[in-house]
């Protein structure tokens, strides 16, 4: 087999795997044995099982080049705005036997599966909700270290002149922020309000909040060349107050029943206690101090954005969180049985490519005013079937009528649905 033939088979195998992730996620073995026979596409019937696995190796080797070309295509197809880029991480664990020891490690599991080895996945996404890159890290790597590596990678690989990186409060360290500034980039990052003395200066700022949204108000202060923004959500304040009241009522009941010995290790309870010798009581001063944080969180930025713009940008981090949910539910990133590093990376790359396609379709559907979810649209598309029939001795392949809102997928992508007669051959 020459290189061009192999490349063609890898292309077809990758196409099949990405399509399968979007429509009916399954293992590579299942794709080869059963699923491929349920779809109509030229060339896929010639793909053997080993082509799927070798295609994963190919994806792992060509990841950076593919992502850079993908970025270029997306820029051509959309008004891809990358002045603000969101970054977050998730983890995914392995099933079965031990995986590659360079990647698979025990670590903080965002799936609450600390009993399984895992990898950490970092995702870069634009403010329009389209992913532009991802990284795979060892399962025991801390978020702050992944952030620093991604910052360098973003500057090196993408032709972006000015960018504001947005990250959650557990994502960055002071060294990360120094690195971003040295690279000429800007940032908006969360602050651990209860642990930051600088951020807590915001709590004593006098004067009214500026209203951004019904559930978002802001105040700010310049501190050491950065802008610290205090964000306040009245709805969250009510929830925090109600939650604390439940804790205090339970705490008093537990104190009466068990005494202090069984409570000091419970963080939800102990932060409200004053312990003296063998006795304990609820400390009203600690309760009052906790009230100051109700409904509030803080961010810091070196950007030229207004307080309102910075707060709104940080609020958009939900897009990455939603993308991770899609990866794990709609696209079924798990279960992951691969053992070899290149196969692990290749599998995650397939899921990433499917996520890009899903996100791009969501973006285009929004452009035409469609409120239906991508999942529901794709379900309707999947109802389109191809059937072989004979007419006057000739074999034809005819598709069924479009079901539900399937037509919206073709309208959003400015293309036509396949013709009713897909192919016409003379039988011999």
């Amino acid at each position: 087999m020459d290189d061009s033939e192999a490349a063609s088979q890898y292309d077809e195998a990758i196409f099949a795997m990405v399509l399968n992730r979007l429509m009916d996620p399954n293992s590579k073995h299942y794709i080869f044995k059963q699923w491929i026979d349920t779809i109509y596409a030229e060339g896929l019937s010639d793909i053997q099982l080993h082509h799927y696995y070798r295609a994963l190796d190919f994806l792992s080797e060509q990841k950076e080049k593919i992502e850079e070309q993908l970025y270029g295509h997306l820029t051509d197809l959309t008004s891809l705005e990358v002045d603000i880029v969101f970054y977050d991480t998730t983890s995914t664990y392995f099933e079965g036997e031990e995986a590659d020891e360079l990647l698979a490690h025990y670590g903080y599991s965002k799936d609450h599966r600390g009993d399984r080895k895992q990898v950490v996945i970092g995702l870069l996404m634009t403010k329009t909700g389209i992913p532009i890159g991802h990284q795979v890290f060892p399962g025991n790597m801390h978020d702050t270290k992944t952030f620093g590596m991604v910052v360098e990678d973003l500057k090196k690989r993408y032709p972006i002149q000015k960018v504001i990186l947005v990250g959650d409060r557990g994502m960055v360290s002071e060294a990360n922020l120094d690195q971003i500034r040295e690279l000429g980039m800007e940032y908006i990052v969360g602050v651990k309000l209860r642990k930051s003395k600088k951020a807590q200066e915001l709590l004593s700022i006098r004067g009214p909040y500026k209203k951004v949204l019904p559930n978002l108000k802001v105040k700010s202060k310049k501190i050491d060349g950065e802008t610290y923004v205090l964000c306040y959500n009245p709805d969250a304040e009510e929830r925090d107050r109600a939650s604390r009241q439940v804790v205090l009522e339970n705490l008093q009941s537990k104190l009466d029943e068990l005494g202090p010995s069984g409570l000091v290790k419970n963080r939800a309870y102990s932060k409200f206690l004053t312990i003296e010798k063998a006795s304990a009581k609820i400390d009203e001063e600690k309760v009052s101090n906790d009230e100051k944080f109700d409904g509030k969180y803080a961010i810091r930025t070196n950007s030229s954005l207004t307080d309102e713009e910075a707060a709104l940008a940080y609020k958009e981090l939900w897009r990455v969180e939603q993308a991770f949910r899609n990866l794990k539910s709609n696209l079924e990133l798990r279960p992951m049985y691969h053992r070899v590093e290149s196969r692990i990376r290749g599998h995650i790359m397939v899921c990433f490519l499917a996520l890009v396609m899903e996100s791009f379709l969501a973006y285009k559907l929004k452009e035409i005013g469609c409120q239906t979810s991508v999942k529901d649209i794709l379900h309707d598309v999947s109802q389109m079937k191809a059937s072989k029939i004979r007419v006057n001795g000739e074999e034809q392949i005819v598709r069924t009528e479009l079901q539900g809102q399937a037509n919206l997928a073709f309208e959003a992508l400015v293309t036509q649905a396949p013709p009713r007669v897909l192919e016409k051959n003379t039988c011999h």
Side-chain angles (χ1 to χ4, degrees), residues 236-253:
E237 180 182 35
E238 291 299 320
R239 291 194 296 271
D240 290 344
R241 183 181 294 120
S243 177
R244 181 176 52 253
Q245 187 58 39
V246 169
V247 170
L248 290 174
E249 290 173 0
N250 290 338
L251 173 56
Q252 188 60 60
S253 175

Side-chain angles (χ1 to χ4, degrees), residues 14-28 31 35 56 90 92 121 123 125 129-131 134 319-338 346-362 373-376 378-379:
I14 292 167
F15 171 75
M17 289 188 289
V18 173
L19 180 61
N20 174 260
R21 285 291 129 187
L22 282 169
M23 307 303 292
D24 184 25
N26 280 295
S27 69
K28 284 69 181 175
I31 295 173
W35 181 79
L56 295 180
T90 191
T92 189
I121 302 170
L123 187 67
M125 179 172 283
I130 299 179
H134 81 287
R319 293 186 182 277
V320 189
E321 295 167 0
Q322 179 63 54
F324 285 138
R325 283 193 290 273
N326 288 349
L327 271 175
K328 294 180 179 181
S329 57
N330 296 359
L331 306 177
E332 295 189 17
L333 174 68
R334 299 190 311 264
M336 189 158 60
Y337 293 95
H338 296 289
H347 170 75
I348 295 172
M349 182 69 174
V350 166
C351 295
F352 169 78
L353 291 173
L355 179 64
V356 173
M357 294 183 68
E358 183 185 71
S359 303
F360 178 71
L361 179 55
S373 72
V374 171
K375 185 176 182 179
D376 288 340
L378 290 178
H379 173 267

Side-chain angles (χ1 to χ4, degrees), residues 104-164:
H105 290 278
Y106 294 108
Y108 174 69
S109 172
K110 298 185 180 182
D111 298 313
H112 309 292
R113 290 305 305 264
D115 61 320
R116 300 286 179 87
K117 288 189 176 182
Q118 64 176 23
V119 292
V120 172
I121 302 170
L123 187 67
L124 286 166
M125 179 172 283
T126 70
K127 64 184 180 183
T128 51
I130 299 179
I132 59 171
H134 81 287
Q135 295 286 359
V136 182
F137 303 102
N140 59 353
M141 184 173 287
H142 194 276
D143 279 350
T144 56
K145 190 169 183 180
T146 74
F147 191 83
M149 296 172 70
V150 166
V151 167
E152 193 80 41
D153 188 59
L154 179 66
K155 190 70 174 181
K156 179 180 68 176
R157 291 174 53 203
Y158 298 95
I160 301 171
Q161 297 303 313
K162 181 181 179 181
V163 64
I164 302 173

Side-chain angles (χ1 to χ4, degrees), residues 207-226:
Y209 285 92
K210 291 182 284 186
K211 185 175 180 179
V212 183
L213 297 170
N215 63 347
L216 177 61
K217 301 179 181 181
V218 297
K219 289 182 179 181
S220 69
K221 183 177 182 179
K222 283 280 188 183
I223 304 175
D224 296 336
E226 294 177 296

Side-chain angles (χ1 to χ4, degrees), residues 6 52 212 339:
Y52 291 103
V212 183
R339 302 287 158 253

